[in-house]
Amino acid sequence: MKLFRIPMRGSVLWAILTQLLLCRNGVFAGNGTKACKLGTESSSQRKVLERLEPLAHRNLSVEVTEEKEKYTYVFQLCGDAGGVPNAGVIQKKIDSKDKPTIIGSYTSTEVIGGSDWVMLLYHNGDKYDSHCNQEERKAMIMISCNKNTEAGNFEVILEDRDRLKDCFYLFELDSSAVCPPVQSQLSAGSIILIIGFCFVAVYLIGGFLYQRLIVGAKGMEQFPNYAFWVEVGNLSADGCDFVCRSKNREEAPAYRGVSADALDEEPEERDDHLLPM
Ligand SMILES: *[C@@H]1O[C@H](CO)[C@@H](O)[C@H](O)[C@H]1NC(C)=O
Ligand SMILES: *[C@@H]1O[C@H](CO)[C@@H](O)[C@H](O)[C@H]1NC(C)=O
């Protein structure tokens, strides 16, 4: 039975340890943003992209009415939006067989990140027909922190095309992915405390069950290693007594012994003792 109990405590400990490690480092280390090609590759931009990982592999879409025409915009992070190869954002006319217009491509990405927001730019869209000097379309997606949603509503803010160059489509999206990391991560000290607490709990419960069910102990005896802990308690009490207690109290009874009260009582007692004789 003893042999069985020890490995069980070990496995409980391991379960707790791995749980804590997983919580600390985050379980997500995928590569959902790898497909995005940066205009100029840089590790700082990659880092910002990695923050967006929870948004990967989703088509986010919105319907809008512009000049009596209905359109759908579809956005995907580093993946084919609406299934159109290389497109990060597409615009599709509803109820029409027209090919979707690519607003921006994830193969030409630029990304800027702040403490609680990320601005994603997709260049290399389809060329304008008449506006903007027929330059390529460009999508800007402003992703803001919202703790309550992993991927909120994808919204069209404006299409700025009445200028000669640098036209853009602006979109907005709320996501918890860009929120600053929560500072409540467990410190090493509290992990040790938790592990220690678990040890004590497992020891108490396991020992209690063992004493009660296997040994058949009753009452206080059910505590694991009861005799040992009683001995520890007594020894530490003795130690404390020896170290902390001042001598005054021990001497006190001696004075009381010779006090007036004690002297008065003694003869009476002696008398009582003699009476029955
Ligand atoms: C991550 O990338 C590696 C190679 O770069 C690939 O083998 C693996 O399947 C990818 N994982 C996911 C979850 O996409
Ligand atoms: C996105 O939408 C396209 C077209 O509807 C579909 O083929 C593709 O599987 C979707 N991707 C994801 C990740 O849902």
Side-chain angles (χ1 to χ4, degrees):
M1 203 51 216
K2 268 217 155 70
L3 278 176
F4 165 74
R5 271 163 60 222
I6 290 160
M8 212 190 71
R9 287 181 191 178
S11 66
V12 168
L13 177 67
W14 272 118
I16 294 162
L17 262 179
T18 43
Q19 200 70 23
L20 285 170
L21 287 177
L22 282 181
C23 291
R24 262 177 87 79
N25 299 336
V27 200
F28 311 103
N31 30 12
T33 60
K34 284 266 155 65
C36 274
K37 282 206 189 78
L38 297 169
T40 40
E41 185 68 44
S42 75
S43 59
S44 62
Q45 284 198 91
R46 276 286 160 214
K47 255 199 196 114
V48 178
L49 268 181
E50 275 163 21
R51 282 169 66 188
L52 301 178
E53 184 80 40
L55 288 173
H57 311 300
R58 292 175 198 238
N59 289 316
L60 299 170
S61 58
V62 60
E63 280 182 22
V64 291
T65 309
E66 285 169 13
E67 295 154 13
K68 290 183 191 135
E69 301 274 17
K70 277 183 154 182
Y71 296 96
T72 323
Y73 288 90
V74 183
F75 161 69
Q76 195 175 142
L77 178 76
C78 308
D80 298 341
V84 179
N86 293 341
V89 179
I90 58 163
Q91 178 201 54
K92 227 175 132 181
K93 211 183 252 182
I94 295 176
D95 306 324
S96 129
K97 290 267 180 283
D98 290 357
K99 231 176 74 188
T101 307
I102 298 176
I103 310 292
S105 308
Y106 64 83
T107 48
S108 180
T109 305
E110 201 181 321
V111 67
I112 308 164
S115 60
D116 63 351
W117 55 269
V118 168
M119 176 76 99
L120 191 67
L121 286 95
Y122 285 147
H123 300 276
N124 244 335
D126 287 342
K127 286 191 165 71
Y128 283 98
D129 300 324
S130 52
H131 297 90
C132 298
N133 261 335
Q134 296 170 355
E135 67 173 11
E136 286 169 342
R137 286 176 173 81
K138 180 169 73 182
M140 297 169 90
I141 302 115
M142 183 74 194
I143 305 167
S144 313
C145 163
N146 181 343
K147 287 195 172 67
N148 303 321
T149 174
E150 192 160 76
N153 290 334
F154 180 60
E155 282 174 60
V156 185
I157 303 304
L158 76 115
E159 181 193 350
D160 193 351
R161 62 177 189 185
D162 295 320
R163 43 160 114 188
L164 289 175
K165 69 196 273 274
D166 288 335
C167 302
F168 61 90
Y169 289 72
L170 181 63
F171 303 91
E172 265 186 6
L173 178 64
D174 280 355
S175 172
S176 56
V178 298
C179 291
V182 186
Q183 289 304 312
S184 72
Q185 282 196 337
L186 293 171
S187 68
S190 47
I191 287 179
I192 289 169
L193 265 180
I194 289 171
I195 290 172
F197 181 77
C198 290
F199 254 125
V200 171
V202 168
Y203 170 75
L204 279 178
I205 294 167
F208 182 84
L209 290 176
Y210 178 79
Q211 292 290 336
R212 189 189 176 89
L213 302 177
I214 292 76
V215 180
K218 294 265 177 293
M220 292 296 278
E221 301 280 309
Q222 288 174 102
F223 280 101
N225 305 94
Y226 177 68
F228 169 74
W229 289 117
V230 164
E231 190 59 22
V232 167
N234 288 342
L235 284 175
S236 42
D238 286 350
C240 213
D241 204 41
F242 177 74
V243 173
C244 313
R245 202 189 298 285
S246 63
K247 282 276 174 264
N248 291 344
R249 273 185 75 174
E250 264 177 34
E251 286 165 13
Y255 290 121
R256 228 184 285 139
V258 292
S259 72
D261 288 354
L263 283 173
D264 288 345
E265 278 170 29
E266 259 181 48
E268 262 177 46
E269 261 175 41
R270 234 176 272 145
D271 290 350
D272 289 342
H273 208 66
L274 290 169
L275 267 173
M277 295 288 283

